[in-house]
Amino acid sequence: MSANKTYDAIVIGAGGGGGIAAAVLAEGGMRVLVLERGREKTFAEIPRDHLRNHRLSLYGQNFGPDDNAGNPRVAVDGQGRERTVLPYEGGYQNNAMGVGGGTRVYGGQAWRFLPTDFKMASTYGVPEGSSLADWPITYDDLAPYYERAEWEIGVSADSELMAQHWPRQKGYPMPAVPLNSQGRLFRSSARQLGWDVFPVPLLVNSVPYLARPACIQCQHCVGFACPVEGKNGSQNTMLPRALATGRCHLETEAMVTHIDTDGSGKVTGVTYFDGNGEQHMIKTGVVVCAAGAIETARLLLHSASAQQPNGLGNQGDQLGRHLQGHYYPGVMGLMPEPVWDGIGPGVNTATVRWSHGNEDEHGPVIGGGLLADEFVLLPMTFWLRHLPPDVPRWGAANKQFMRENYRRFVEIKGPTQDIPSPDARVTLASSVKDTWGMPVAQLSGTTHPETVRTAKFMWERAGEWIKASGAVKTWGGPPGLGLSGGQHQAGTCRMGHDPNTSVVDSHGRVHGHENLFVADGSVHVTNGGFNPVLTLMALAFRTAEGVLKQR
Amino acid sequence: MQPEHTSLTDEHWRTLQALADRIIPQDPDWPSGWQAGVGDYLAHQFERDLRPQVEPYRRGLEALDGEARARTGKPFAELGNAAQDGILVAVERGDVFTNWPDAPAFFAMAIQHVNEGFYSDPNNGGNKAGVAWHMIGYTVKG
């Protein structure tokens, strides 16, 4: 074990939140070390493998973890049975691990949460057994930071149409990505239904921006890396800014296993293994944890001390709980004629008409979500996950169906807001360890069952839209009860004023630890009915700005 | 095509080819699964991700051949398309005469792996020159 030089701040994780924290702190004059467990990869090192990507990971994935066997997790089912799972298996809830994190391979939907998303408990009440709560901050508190994320990372959207739903000071830096043929179809049918729709905001360049080119509309966006750097993530926006200051060092293949604290709870440094397996202890003034909702919770749990025997910030037994992502109700269908033009990214037309204020036959429904069309679908994924149940799985009939219908296939779906449960949680596995000898994350519980009801409501709306579009056949059922997380993982270090009901304060500071912060989806109290990355980014700007002000 | 170290014999491979070509048969316009490179995909995968499945394949292919011999007196690969399909329909239902570990599970596994070879990217060994993508109209630009 070696003792190295000291830094003003250490950022753990070079993903969406970590890149922003690093840039804000380094540009603010701090000397910053970013520790990323994954590698920096070129485009060629993130292959367009249709069996191993972050949309379909049958045998592996193209952007981390690279060592599947060395990075297991434990999934616990409803009967309490524990199962060791690898990163490409469903129960693992993988996001990505590498420089850029999920932002290197995401679809880049750039949603702000709606004002009501920050006030779920006071809007709807709290169903029994749920940990639904209001955020300690409002949409207005976060709005300036949403704007920073939109301009400094780069979002393309229709400023005028978006302003009809979200109060905003300023437009978007780029016009919306043009609609493809399915986007135009769903815009037209939504208008016939009287539903208000608009182009999906994307962290993708519709025109050249910040010295990088426009999107070339390829067919491998979500789940893959961009061939022209027209998709905007941490790795090509904020991290380069951090490194350009000369005050930030990025170390890859660096696995942090412990955040070191003194008797008062103050963070003194971190312990990590470098790429050669050598262990280091580094001193620092501030730690910003941005490893994702599952790994951040795991690290804080594993950093227990004599004073904090249950993990850092865990005096209220909240750390690791309320794990949430999204349910994805959707309906698939066939159009009478081909509608596929292959113009990517593919997700085009969305509505937030059903995000709030919904009612089913039993009364008011809690929350809702957005609905939109879908990214360009890989043929393999179409065959595996999207065929109607009455199509034979083999033989001439299956081949003929594929041949005649790939270009007629359409889908409407969207993220439904999870109704959180304290039982959906990350703990440390009792016996399974990773390649560094650290107990792995164990995932158990499910979201609150109210989520199933909301998802069913949204599934019905998806069906209405796709039928109004002229689909001649539709299929796909509503989601059942389960644990969500995955690429939208959030909630495990929820934000709040009270240390007994939350893990971090309203500025992302871990309760009881004046110089420890969290800047990833962990801090989301609820996860909105939207892809959460822009909210995570806005919070990272706000939290990092708070760190600077504290100096 | 046959990896040396696997326990699959030439006879197993003949049965597998015949099976793959009923899962994705040739038609007047487009190749069969095997013609499109599914065999190369499987050979590659039997050395990689599907290494643990080689033994289940060996047992399943022998059971399929045994089923064909019990029903017709001929190995599966020597039967005509209709006879092969008739046996596979029975296998899919688990309506089998001979001793199988789990006939429907074996067939479902083979169906998935054959289609992986056919529809995934050509770098995986099958879907030669993107022929399956041409067939369905998936085109890659950029």
Side-chain angles (χ1 to χ4, degrees):
Chain A
M1 189 176 288
S2 64
N4 298 48
K5 56 195 165 197
T6 65
Y7 288 88
D8 297 324
I10 290 176
V11 176
I12 302 168
I20 289 167
V24 171
L25 299 183
E27 288 175 352
M30 294 175 80
R31 288 172 305 123
V32 180
L33 173 64
V34 180
L35 296 173
E36 164 56 49
R37 65 189 286 185
R39 293 197 297 124
E40 187 158 18
K41 290 189 176 182
T42 63
F43 172 72
E45 290 175 304
I46 309 172
R48 286 177 165 183
D49 185 331
H50 286 211
L51 304 175
R52 299 170 196 83
N53 57 76
H54 287 263
R55 201 64 165 172
L56 182 64
S57 52
L58 278 183
Y59 301 108
Q61 56 288 325
N62 51 6
F63 199 58
D66 292 337
D67 171 17
N68 285 316
N71 292 281
R73 284 177 183 157
V74 173
V76 184
D77 69 15
Q79 282 74 49
R81 289 175 299 216
E82 295 179 8
R83 185 167 55 94
T84 300
V85 289
L86 298 180
Y88 54 86
E89 295 176 315
Y92 191 92
Q93 308 285 356
N94 192 30
N95 187 359
M97 287 176 197
V99 173
T103 72
R104 184 74 195 271
V105 292
Y106 62 6
Q109 292 190 44
W111 299 101
R112 295 183 178 201
F113 287 0
L114 287 161
T116 307
D117 292 324
F118 297 86
K119 299 184 290 192
M120 290 296 289
S122 54
T123 302
Y124 295 103
V126 181
E128 194 179 338
S130 170
S131 47
L132 195 67
D134 287 358
W135 289 54
I137 59 173
T138 65
Y139 173 85
D140 292 338
D141 293 323
L142 206 51
Y145 302 96
Y146 275 130
E147 188 179 288
R148 281 195 71 177
E150 286 160 355
W151 281 80
E152 296 181 38
I153 300 164
V155 173
S156 299
D158 187 315
S159 301
E160 201 178 310
L161 292 178
M162 296 299 276
Q164 295 173 8
H165 300 278
W166 287 267
R168 39 186 312 126
Q169 295 295 310
K170 187 174 164 183
Y172 287 91
M174 293 174 278
V177 171
L179 299 187
N180 69 11
S181 56
Q182 74 172 4
R184 293 191 296 272
L185 166 75
F186 286 117
R187 180 179 60 184
S188 150
S189 58
R191 285 176 179 167
Q192 282 167 19
L193 284 168
W195 298 7
D196 182 17
V197 289
F198 45 80
V200 170
L202 291 166
L203 286 139
V204 162
N205 292 345
S206 59
V207 293
Y209 187 65
L210 298 176
R212 281 175 296 101
C215 165
I216 59 166
Q217 304 183 316
C218 82
Q219 296 75 37
H220 290 88
C221 192
V222 66
F224 300 92
C226 180
V228 299
E229 299 294 334
K231 177 160 74 177
N232 306 322
S234 211
Q235 74 289 340
N236 58 9
T237 60
M238 301 308 284
L239 276 169
R241 268 174 55 177
L243 297 172
T245 64
R247 286 185 292 275
C248 178
H249 177 65
L250 167 64
E251 182 169 343
T252 59
E253 297 179 79
M255 176 66 185
V256 179
T257 55
H258 200 269
I259 296 170
D260 308 323
T261 50
D262 67 15
S264 73
K266 193 172 175 188
V267 169
T268 56
V270 306
T271 303
Y272 77 96
F273 288 94
D274 69 18
N276 298 317
E278 193 181 338
Q279 197 176 36
H280 303 267
M281 287 180 72
I282 298 213
K283 299 261 180 261
T284 182
V286 171
V287 165
V288 179
C289 203
I294 294 172
E295 292 298 309
T296 286
R298 175 190 176 209
L299 179 59
L300 296 184
L301 286 165
H302 193 242
S303 299
S305 63
Q307 288 76 25
Q308 299 281 333
N310 301 317
L312 305 183
N314 199 22
Q315 54 268 52
D317 187 25
Q318 296 297 301
L319 176 59
R321 294 186 181 274
H322 326 293
L323 176 62
Q324 55 199 293
H326 289 109
Y327 282 29
Y328 260 89
V331 176
M332 297 171 273
L334 292 180
M335 297 303 296
E337 299 296 329
V339 67
W340 192 93
D341 61 11
I343 291 178
V347 61
N348 290 259
T349 295
T351 183
V352 294
R353 182 188 174 99
W354 308 106
S355 290
H356 290 287
N358 298 317
E359 212 167 295
D360 69 8
E361 63 273 24
H362 308 293
V365 169
I366 300 178
L370 81 92
L371 289 174
D373 51 3
E374 204 7 7
F375 289 95
V376 174
L377 187 62
L378 302 183
M380 184 66 229
T381 311
F382 180 52
W383 183 86
L384 188 66
R385 303 258 162 91
H386 293 76
L387 296 192
D390 59 350
V391 170
R393 295 301 297 175
W394 62 282
N398 185 270
K399 189 184 185 190
Q400 186 182 353
F401 185 89
M402 289 293 293
R403 177 180 170 180
E404 292 177 353
N405 294 295
Y406 174 75
R407 284 183 169 229
R408 296 168 63 208
F409 177 81
V410 288
E411 184 176 16
I412 289 289
K413 67 179 184 184
T416 288
Q417 176 138 205
D418 271 18
I419 313 302
S421 163
D423 299 329
R425 65 187 298 203
V426 179
T427 54
L428 296 178
S430 55
S431 58
V432 181
K433 294 190 164 71
D434 68 11
T435 193
W436 297 275
M438 179 175 169
V440 303
Q442 175 165 308
L443 309 175
S444 57
T446 68
T447 60
H448 190 276
E450 274 292 320
T451 318
V452 176
R453 183 177 160 212
T454 306
K456 180 164 181 284
F457 177 87
M458 295 307 297
W459 171 76
E460 289 165 355
R461 303 291 79 71
E464 277 180 56
W465 194 359
I466 206 163
K467 283 172 192 148
S469 307
V472 289
K473 176 187 178 82
T474 61
W475 66 96
L481 185 67
L483 180 66
S484 49
Q487 293 161 357
H488 291 188
Q489 57 187 262
T492 56
C493 302
R494 64 168 25 181
M495 183 182 268
H497 297 304
D498 181 353
N500 291 314
T501 56
S502 59
V503 176
V504 303
D505 71 13
S506 63
H507 283 88
R509 183 202 319 258
V510 178
H511 293 304
H513 304 276
E514 63 180 53
N515 57 345
L516 175 59
F517 298 82
V518 177
D520 60 30
S522 307
V523 304
H524 295 190
V525 178
T526 50
N527 211 20
F530 296 102
N531 309 56
V533 74
L534 196 78
T535 298
L536 176 167
M537 288 170 164
L539 284 162
F541 274 108
R542 186 170 179 271
T543 293
E545 194 180 276
V547 173
L548 276 184
K549 278 185 190 155
Q550 180 191 263
R551 288 189 89 204
Chain B
M1 180 181 300
Q2 292 89 327
E4 287 293 320
H5 66 268
T6 73
S7 56
L8 298 187
T9 63
D10 287 354
E11 196 168 357
H12 293 131
W13 280 98
R14 275 195 294 275
T15 310
L16 182 55
Q17 177 175 346
L19 172 62
D21 280 350
R22 293 324 299 156
I23 292 171
I24 304 178
Q26 187 182 5
D27 63 47
D29 302 311
W30 300 98
S32 71
W34 209 262
Q35 287 165 345
V38 164
D40 287 347
Y41 169 74
L42 291 172
H44 181 57
Q45 279 290 69
F46 285 153
E47 298 187 71
R48 190 181 176 185
D49 302 307
L50 296 182
R51 196 181 276 266
Q53 274 72 47
V54 172
E55 192 50 26
Y57 264 97
R58 188 187 63 77
R59 289 198 304 268
L61 293 167
E62 285 175 7
L64 178 60
D65 217 31
E67 187 74 24
R69 289 175 196 273
R71 286 170 184 256
T72 68
K74 285 184 180 175
F76 184 79
E78 289 178 20
L79 297 175
N81 293 343
Q84 288 175 337
D85 285 352
I87 291 171
L88 292 176
V89 167
V91 167
E92 189 174 33
R93 293 192 192 124
D95 186 11
V96 289
F97 292 158
T98 55
N99 186 27
W100 285 76
D102 183 340
F106 168 74
F107 190 37
M109 173 176 78
I111 290 170
Q112 176 164 333
H113 294 155
V114 165
N115 277 281
E116 287 170 10
F118 196 69
Y119 290 112
S120 70
D121 56 297
N123 285 335
N124 273 297
N127 187 17
K128 301 290 186 197
V131 65
W133 295 354
H134 292 305
M135 179 184 87
I136 67 173
Y138 170 76
T139 48
V140 178
K141 297 175 211 148

